[in-house]
Amino acid sequence: MNLQAFTRRAVPPIMTVAALGAALTACGGTSSPPQPPAPSAHSTPTEAVAASATPTLSAPQLQFVSDVRNVLTFGSNVTGAEVASFGQHACRNLQSGVTLAGEVKPARRAFTTLSNGDAIQLITIAEKDLCPSQSDPQQVTYVATGSSADVTYGPSGSGYKGTAPLTVTKPLVGNPQFYSISAQLKNGGTVTCQIKVDGVTIVSASASGSTNVANCAMDQDLNGSWQETSLNA
C-alpha cells in the first residue's frame, strides 16, 4: 500500500477520538467522584460554655458558711455564696470603723428571717472566721431612762442596785441563766428599761404611774442567739 494513502485514511479516526476526549473533558465527564461542598462557617453548631454559677469559696469562707448554717436558719433560696459574701462585706465595714451594731440592719435586710439576736450572732461568727482581728468580747448594757425609779440589774444570781436614769455596760462572761433589769417608779411618771448586746437592743419595756415596774430580761436560745425572755413563768 502507498504510505501517503494510508496516512490520509488513518488521520480522521484519530482526530475523531481526540475530539471526543476534549468534549468529555469540557463537559466535566471525568471519572473522579463528586466532592461534597465545603461546610459553611454557619452550618457547624457551636456549644456555648456557661460560666459557673457557683463561685469558688476559700477555706475560711467555707468554714464561716458551715458555722453559720449550724446555728441559724435562712430561707431555702439563700446560697452559701450569699452568706459568704455578706460575711466578707461585714468584715470590710468593721475594719473600716463601722460598729457591730451598725451591721445589724444590713444583716436583717439581707436575710429577712433573722432577729436582732441572730444578726449579732451572724456578725460575731464572721469576725471569728473571716476577720479575727476585729473580734472583741461581747458587752451587755443595762439602761433605765425616764422618771426617777429604783433599779435592779445584772445576770441571774446578782442584784446590782442603782437609780434611773442609769446606763451600765459590762462584759458578757460566764453562762448565767438570764440577764435582767427592773425599774420601779418612785412617784409616778414613766420609766423605760432596755438590755443591749454590743449596742443592739434585745429587749425593751416601759411602765407608767404610781409605783409600777418596768421589767426587761434576756437569755440565749438553743442556738445561742440572744432573745427576750420572761421571768414571770
Side-chain angles (χ1 to χ4, degrees):
M1 177 182 295
N2 186 292
L3 179 59
Q4 188 175 11
F6 173 80
T7 302
R8 283 198 300 269
R9 286 195 296 270
V11 168
I14 294 174
M15 292 178 63
T16 300
V17 173
L20 180 59
L24 291 173
T25 300
C27 293
T30 64
S31 60
S32 299
Q35 298 297 318
S40 167
H42 299 288
S43 65
T44 303
T46 57
E47 181 178 352
V49 179
S52 174
T54 305
T56 301
L57 302 182
S58 65
Q61 288 174 325
L62 289 171
Q63 184 64 56
F64 169 63
V65 172
S66 175
D67 289 345
V68 168
R69 289 198 182 279
N70 282 339
V71 295
L72 299 178
T73 301
F74 300 99
S76 59
N77 61 332
V78 175
T79 66
E82 290 173 314
V83 176
S85 177
F86 177 82
Q88 290 291 168
H89 177 78
C91 274
R92 285 194 296 269
N93 286 345
L94 293 169
Q95 290 164 342
S96 68
V98 177
T99 64
L100 184 149
E103 285 300 297
V104 166
K105 285 185 178 180
R108 297 191 67 188
R109 284 196 298 267
F111 310 109
T112 56
T113 61
L114 300 186
S115 66
N116 275 354
D118 292 334
I120 292 171
Q121 192 171 22
L122 173 64
I123 298 162
T124 301
I125 296 172
E127 289 177 337
K128 176 178 70 72
D129 289 343
L130 302 177
C131 50
S133 63
Q134 301 302 124
S135 184
D136 293 314
Q138 287 191 305
Q139 305 283 320
V140 56
T141 300
Y142 306 91
V143 182
T145 57
S147 304
S148 180
D150 292 324
V151 177
T152 302
Y153 65 93
S156 55
S158 68
Y160 301 109
K161 302 292 184 179
T163 302
L166 172 147
T167 299
V168 176
T169 298
K170 292 183 175 293
L172 280 168
V173 294
N175 189 29
Q177 185 178 0
F178 60 84
Y179 294 82
S180 67
I181 179 172
S182 63
Q184 183 173 21
L185 289 162
K186 292 180 178 181
N187 300 299
T190 298
V191 67
T192 297
C193 64
Q194 289 178 288
I195 302 179
K196 302 180 179 184
V197 174
D198 292 337
V200 181
T201 300
I202 303 299
V203 55
S204 177
S206 297
S208 299
S210 188
T211 58
N212 288 334
V213 181
N215 287 309
C216 293
M218 73 172 190
D219 63 3
Q220 288 178 291
D221 64 18
L222 294 177
N223 292 323
S225 293
W226 294 105
Q227 62 179 1
E228 179 178 359
T229 189
S230 172
L231 302 182
N232 296 325

